[in-house]
């Protein structure tokens, strides 16, 4: 999937024009047009396994770090590291890069403070799942509404899975008074997002196999931690209800 952004050539020409070097005609322009056309054709012929892997990675990683996903994919597309599908070209827009970069900065620190991370998760849970669905739909929706719907279901389901696993895991970790486990888990999640995006865009088949295993493990962990948290809440309620009687 690695290629060169066709817009980079046009940006280079515009920069040269600003310096007074007019290369908009002749052999140089012809070469530029051929390069842009070749890259666009390669992007349009991106195979379905690669698109499915990208859509799945966008959905799954959005449940952890939505703003990191939007920013990193947008930067990768703008820099020409990957050829984004037409539905994701908007991620390269400077305004969106600026907004997602700012939110990424905020989330990076908020997610590493015990208690604050749970509040941040609660506030952002309403956007992570639909955003994961929208990103996955953008990756698959170029060929029609049907594949767009498939992408939305895939991305939304994976975002919900990772969001649930993240929320229950961090809530369980926050029952411990020491802050280091929270910080370590947050850094692990940062690495998982970067690793997932890299693996999906470079080795889509390996990513797909690993994703199935990880999703199953997430379901198991979420169920175990949910029961643990429910037991903790019950004990807390019992203690609070018994306290007035003892007084």
């Amino acid at each position: 999937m690695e290629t060169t952004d066709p817009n980079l050539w046009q940006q280079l020409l515009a920069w040269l024009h600003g310096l007074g070097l007019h290369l908009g005609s002749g052999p140089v322009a012809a070469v530029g047009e051929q390069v842009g056309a070749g890259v666009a054709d390669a992007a349009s012929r991106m195979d379905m396994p690669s698109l499915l892997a990208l859509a799945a990675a966008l959905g799954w990683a959005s449940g952890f770090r939505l703003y990191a996903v939007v920013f990193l994919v947008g930067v990768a597309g703008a820099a020409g590291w990957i050829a984004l599908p037409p539905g994701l070209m908007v991620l390269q827009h400077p305004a969106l890069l600026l907004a997602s970069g700012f939110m990424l900065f905020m989330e990076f620190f908020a997610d590493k403070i015990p208690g604050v991370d749970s509040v941040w998760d609660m506030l952002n849970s309403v956007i992570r799942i639909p955003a994961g669905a929208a990103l996955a739909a953008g990756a698959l929706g170029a060929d029609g509404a049907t594949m767009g719907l498939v992408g939305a279901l895939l991305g939304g389901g994976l975002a919900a899975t990772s969001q649930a696993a993240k929320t229950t895991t961090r809530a369980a970790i926050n029952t411990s008074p020491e802050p280091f486990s929270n910080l370590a888990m947050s850094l692990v999640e940062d690495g998982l997002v970067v690793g997932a995006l890299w693996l999906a865009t470079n080795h889509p088949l390996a990513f797909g196999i690993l994703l199935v295993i990880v999703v199953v493990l997430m379901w198991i962990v979420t169920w175990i931690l949910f029961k643990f948290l429910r037991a903790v809440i019950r004990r807390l309620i019992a203690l609070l209800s018994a306290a007035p009687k003892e007084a």
Side-chain angles (χ1 to χ4, degrees), residues 169-182:
T169 301
R170 300 301 283 276
I173 290 176
N174 284 338
T175 59
S176 173
E178 51 83 24
F180 302 106
S181 57
N182 185 287

Side-chain angles (χ1 to χ4, degrees), residues 70 74-75 78 84 88-100:
V70 174
V75 168
L84 295 181
L88 298 179
M89 290 292 186
V90 66
L91 302 183
Q92 302 176 183
H93 194 282
L96 191 55
L97 287 175
L98 182 63
S100 60

Side-chain angles (χ1 to χ4, degrees), residues 60 160-162 164-166 168-169 172 211-229:
W60 183 81
T161 297
S162 55
K166 172 185 171 63
T168 53
T169 301
L211 180 64
V212 172
I213 299 173
V214 170
V215 166
V216 172
L217 291 176
M218 279 186 164
W219 289 339
I220 297 173
V221 170
T222 300
W223 175 246
I224 294 174
L225 292 179
F226 175 77
K227 293 196 296 183
F228 166 76
L229 292 171

Side-chain angles (χ1 to χ4, degrees), residues 26-123:
V28 174
V31 171
E33 292 178 0
Q34 292 177 5
V35 170
V39 171
D41 181 64
S44 66
R45 291 186 289 104
M46 190 180 300
D47 58 7
M48 185 53 64
S50 297
L51 288 174
L52 283 171
L54 177 60
L58 293 174
W60 183 81
S62 293
F64 286 116
R65 298 282 191 276
L66 170 62
Y67 308 114
V69 170
V70 174
F71 181 77
L72 292 176
V73 174
V75 168
W81 298 335
I82 61 175
L84 295 181
L88 298 179
M89 290 292 186
V90 66
L91 302 183
Q92 302 176 183
H93 194 282
L96 191 55
L97 287 175
L98 182 63
S100 60
F102 173 76
M103 293 304 297
L104 170 59
F105 177 82
M106 295 288 292
E107 183 172 62
F108 181 83
F109 293 101
D111 192 71
K112 291 166 178 60
I113 304 175
V116 176
D117 63 329
S118 295
V119 175
W120 182 269
D121 280 342
M122 181 180 64
L123 295 176

Side-chain angles (χ1 to χ4, degrees), residues 109-241:
F109 293 101
D111 192 71
K112 291 166 178 60
I113 304 175
V116 176
D117 63 329
S118 295
V119 175
W120 182 269
D121 280 342
M122 181 180 64
L123 295 176
N124 285 273
S125 61
V126 297
I127 189 175
R128 285 175 178 162
I129 297 175
L135 290 172
L140 293 179
D143 294 333
T146 300
M147 290 306 298
L149 180 59
V150 170
L153 293 175
L154 175 66
L158 289 172
T161 297
S162 55
Q163 165 74 24
K166 172 185 171 63
T167 301
T168 53
T169 301
R170 300 301 283 276
I173 290 176
N174 284 338
T175 59
S176 173
E178 51 83 24
F180 302 106
S181 57
N182 185 287
L183 175 61
M185 181 56 67
S186 180
L187 292 173
V188 168
E189 292 172 1
D190 293 334
L192 285 175
V193 170
V194 176
L197 293 176
W198 179 86
L199 191 62
T201 53
N202 289 274
H203 306 285
L205 181 58
F207 170 79
I209 296 173
L210 187 60
L211 180 64
V212 172
I213 299 173
V214 170
V215 166
V216 172
L217 291 176
M218 279 186 164
W219 289 339
I220 297 173
V221 170
T222 300
W223 175 246
I224 294 174
L225 292 179
F226 175 77
K227 293 196 296 183
F228 166 76
L229 292 171
R230 186 171 59 179
V232 170
I233 293 173
R234 286 178 177 174
R235 286 196 296 268
L236 182 60
I237 293 175
L239 290 174
L240 292 176
S241 60

